[in-house]
Amino acid sequence: MEGWFSRTAVDTATTMLTEPFVHEYMRANIWHLKGRDADLLVDTGMGIRPLAPEIETQPGKPLIAVASHIHLDHVGSLHEFPERAGPAWSADAFATMPDAATYAHEFRALQAPVSRPPHAGWNATGYRIRPAPLTRSLAAGDRIDLGDRQFTVLHLPGHSPDSIAFLDERDGLFFSGDAVYDDTLLDDLPDSDRATYRTTMRRLLDLPVRIGHGGHGPSFDGTRMRAIARAYLERTEGP
Ligand SMILES: [Zn+2]
């Protein structure tokens, strides 16, 4: 089907894709960054329609697909890519993608999971996340090298225990997954932890971020990110 994904050119190296017909709770951002020696794909959407054919790469140039965490809206198409990196904390679960880790059952339970079906006869009851065993487990401090850029892996739990993010410390480009984004932050999922999320927010206050591309919502600069972090800390302050 034409047009399941929407595509926005952010700059000459960066494209953002999303799935406009997916319920807004689960409509996540997919980031494709072109590097000199390799490309980076941060998160892979719901897996309702194939994503790989939508990602334009140069023949022979590796594409490193990374998952920011194991929730359904970030890992659905991960299985389509040969190089699959993701958080060490949930590495075992990527091999089977159980609903208990991905929350795929929550999509099946929605009243209107999509505003337009991906094809005739489609039904959410058959929705499953395909297993995508990681070819590389990422821990805090690991590097992802694109030749002209290196990203440092940060472990920023709270939304989920396995939330990781990718920071180019040289120029402040930050792919933050669901650790922080400019929209309603979710900290009440079964595997969320508010105290841990507060620790993450305090860490964000000191990160040298120039531009952040998150798992949901619009991109943000460092000033906006710190405002989001401070607002979270104020909102969740104890009695
Ligand atoms: Zn999530």
Side-chain angles (χ1 to χ4, degrees), residues 1 20-21 29 44 82 92 109 122:
M1 187 189 78
F21 307 113
N29 297 332
T44 58
D92 289 348
W122 181 89

Side-chain angles (χ1 to χ4, degrees), residues 147-150 167-173:
D148 53 343
R149 278 183 180 281
Q150 282 80 38
L167 176 64
D168 181 342
E169 290 165 303
R170 216 181 46 189
D171 82 341
L173 176 59

